[in-house]
Amino acid sequence: MAPIKDHPLRYTLAGELHARPFPEVKAPQVVAYLAIKPSGDAAGRDRSGDMAHLVRLLNHYGAPLPEKDATHYYGAMGKYDLKWEQHTEFVTYTAFSNDLSHRPFDPAEFDVFPADWLDVAPGERLTSALLRLVLQPPLESDVVAHLNEWFVPESLAVAHVLDQDAVVATDFRVDPAGHMRFAVFAAQATGARRLGRIIQRLFEIETYKTMSMLGFALVREAGDDVGRMDRQLSDLMIGMSAKETGPEATLDALLDVSVELESLVAQSAFRFAGTAAYQAIVYQRIEALRETRFQGLQGFGEFMMRRYEPAMRTVNSMERRLERMSARAARTSDLLRTRVDVERSAQNQAILESLDRRGDLQLRLQHTVEGLSVVAISYYAVSLASYVLYPVGELTGLSKGALTAGVTLPVVGLVWWAVRRLRRKIV
């Protein structure tokens, strides 16, 4: 074909689909598993610390080192095979060994991870587990005997998986040594790759279950604060109907609750989203095992339905509750704003009525002043006119009183007409 420029990430993205192959495992085998989660913002951490910790472990055994920017690693490490994976919030170490201890789940099998190396881990142990892989005994009663010896019967989850190619079991309890216990009884004909897939899925179920339960821990931690804020919002809604409660005080209280609520929503949003994603992966991995009942005992799906699903429903309920509370706070703010607007409208109406009354008073006062002005101006105008007409009175024989009385009405009328005309021009 004609040459065409490749996208710079084409081969990287294609290779990512094949970057994390399942290990090939043959029975008997013991597998030690460790998941480490950095504290704080694990998703935004400096991931160079994860690589440095892996390199330190490999140097301890004199094993080959991975590429600098690798996010996964698989290779020989002394008498072990190590599988390392870097995830968004955690890293996992899976060590495979053919040295099966006579003592099932011997804590010494976890010594593949040196104590001094564990002490400087860039984070905290999220989970750790020991898995015992053996061939399936001819009789299922022998399997049941091992299960009763190794696990707590009340919490036991066991099932045939992948078309009865193996029996897997665990009780999801932390043993005295601090590890989870898993057992895989493989059929004689089960291939190494299929066993690797089974082991990988079991560890993923445990890891993602634990990660999703972090959301439940957050819910339990924030439960009291959420209840208190819910009561405060209800009290504010009730208090808004009381006329003696001022909008300023209500607004201050509402702002305090809203800020605290939005801060909690922002802090929990990432964890709740992660919980939903991890929960989906847990059920997906269980479904991929294609489990069927073993001896009528509960399987992984039934165990999760009874023990795990209620916790996830609690997380979902809290997430919806916070959303409803945020909506309530917004509605309360809208109602408070409406109340303030109504009160301001009433105040403005009262001000306008007061201005109308003042206008009426000013108009009356103006009319009164105009009347007084006409009288005063007329008085002086009549006096001036009389002085002007006195000589005419002497010639005609009219007295001053008669002359003054004669010009009074015309002068007053002329002054009144002039004042009215002047006011109309101003208006």
Side-chain angles (χ1 to χ4, degrees):
M1 62 178 292
I4 183 173
K5 184 179 179 180
D6 285 326
H7 189 282
L9 296 178
R10 178 192 176 198
Y11 290 98
T12 301
L13 298 177
E16 186 65 25
L17 299 177
H18 312 285
R20 304 173 188 266
F22 291 105
E24 296 185 13
V25 184
K26 295 182 179 180
Q29 190 100 187
V30 61
V31 186
Y33 178 78
L34 174 66
I36 298 176
K37 179 185 180 300
S39 56
D41 182 15
R45 69 187 185 278
D46 180 7
R47 305 198 176 194
S48 61
D50 301 338
M51 177 59 68
H53 198 228
L54 170 64
V55 169
R56 180 167 183 164
L57 178 63
L58 296 175
N59 285 335
H60 176 82
Y61 285 96
L65 301 182
E67 297 180 2
K68 181 179 180 181
D69 297 327
T71 58
H72 55 277
Y73 172 85
Y74 186 82
M77 188 181 69
K79 65 177 182 179
Y80 304 98
D81 289 326
L82 178 68
K83 187 175 189 292
W84 174 81
E85 291 185 318
Q86 186 180 62
H87 300 266
T88 302
E89 293 190 81
F90 57 91
V91 293
T92 61
Y93 295 81
T94 310
F96 302 86
S97 174
N98 295 322
D99 292 341
L100 195 65
S101 174
H102 294 291
R103 175 189 174 188
F105 305 102
D106 188 345
E109 294 174 334
F110 204 77
D111 291 345
V112 58
F113 304 115
D116 59 343
W117 178 81
L118 292 172
D119 288 339
V120 296
E124 302 165 337
R125 173 170 57 177
L126 180 66
T127 187
S128 62
L130 287 174
L131 184 144
R132 190 174 181 86
L133 170 63
V134 296
L135 292 174
Q136 186 173 342
L139 299 177
E140 288 189 350
S141 58
D142 295 333
V143 176
V144 174
H146 288 312
L147 297 180
N148 292 332
E149 178 185 356
W150 298 344
F151 302 106
V152 177
E154 187 269 336
S155 302
L156 178 63
V158 56
H160 287 289
V161 296
L162 299 182
D163 304 322
Q164 299 194 350
D165 277 353
V167 175
V168 298
T170 184
D171 56 8
F172 290 105
R173 289 180 177 268
V174 180
D175 68 10
H179 310 303
M180 292 285 180
R181 294 182 175 186
F182 291 88
V184 178
F185 301 90
Q188 291 285 347
T190 304
R193 290 184 179 179
R194 175 158 286 197
L195 287 176
R197 289 198 297 271
I198 292 173
I199 293 173
Q200 182 73 17
R201 286 166 181 165
L202 290 176
F203 287 148
E204 287 175 346
I205 290 171
E206 164 57 23
T207 305
Y208 290 119
K209 171 188 68 66
T210 305
M211 285 298 300
S212 60
M213 290 295 289
L214 293 177
F216 179 69
L218 175 62
V219 168
R220 297 181 62 178
E221 180 181 352
D224 293 340
D225 291 336
V226 173
R228 173 179 53 79
M229 287 185 286
D230 198 357
R231 291 190 296 272
Q232 288 177 338
L233 283 176
S234 299
D235 293 340
L236 287 173
M237 290 291 292
I238 296 174
M240 285 177 59
S241 62
K243 295 183 179 180
E244 62 272 10
T245 303
E248 294 81 6
T250 304
L251 178 60
D252 290 340
L254 178 60
L255 286 176
D256 292 340
V257 176
S258 298
V259 169
E260 187 177 2
L261 177 59
E262 290 304 318
S263 176
L264 179 59
V265 170
Q267 294 173 6
S268 60
F270 177 80
R271 180 50 51 205
F272 287 159
T275 294
Y278 294 135
Q279 178 189 6
I281 295 176
V282 169
Y283 288 127
Q284 184 187 59
R285 297 299 187 267
I286 293 176
E287 183 179 359
L289 288 175
R290 302 199 304 273
E291 63 176 356
T292 56
R293 282 194 178 275
F294 175 83
Q295 294 284 314
L297 300 173
Q298 70 174 350
F300 283 67
E302 183 178 351
F303 178 91
M304 293 298 176
M305 180 186 67
R306 295 176 54 198
R307 309 291 184 92
Y308 173 73
E309 182 63 23
M312 296 299 98
R313 290 182 181 272
T314 301
V315 175
N316 296 335
S317 175
M318 176 60 75
E319 184 176 12
R320 291 193 298 271
R321 183 181 182 184
L322 289 176
E323 292 175 354
R324 291 195 297 268
M325 288 177 62
S326 295
R328 284 177 57 197
R331 290 195 300 271
T332 303
S333 177
D334 292 340
L335 291 174
L336 182 59
R337 187 181 301 108
T338 301
R339 177 180 175 181
V340 172
D341 291 341
V342 170
E343 291 183 356
R344 286 181 178 176
S345 298
Q347 293 174 356
N348 293 336
Q349 184 66 28
I351 292 174
L352 291 175
E353 292 176 355
S354 176
L355 292 176
D356 289 341
R357 288 193 299 270
R358 290 182 181 181
D360 292 340
L361 291 175
Q362 290 177 352
L363 182 60
R364 292 177 184 178
L365 180 60
Q366 181 179 355
H367 290 166
T368 302
V369 171
E370 287 178 358
L372 294 175
S373 299
V374 170
V375 173
I377 295 173
S378 299
Y379 173 78
Y380 288 107
V382 168
S383 298
L384 292 174
S386 296
Y387 282 117
V388 172
L389 295 176
Y390 280 163
V392 176
E394 292 178 354
L395 295 176
T396 59
L398 294 175
S399 65
K400 293 182 178 181
L403 188 62
T404 301
V407 300
T408 297
L409 290 177
V411 169
V412 170
L414 182 62
V415 170
W416 177 83
W417 174 80
V419 171
R420 292 280 296 182
R421 184 178 181 185
L422 179 62
R423 190 183 69 175
R424 288 177 180 175
K425 287 183 176 180
I426 294 175
V427 176

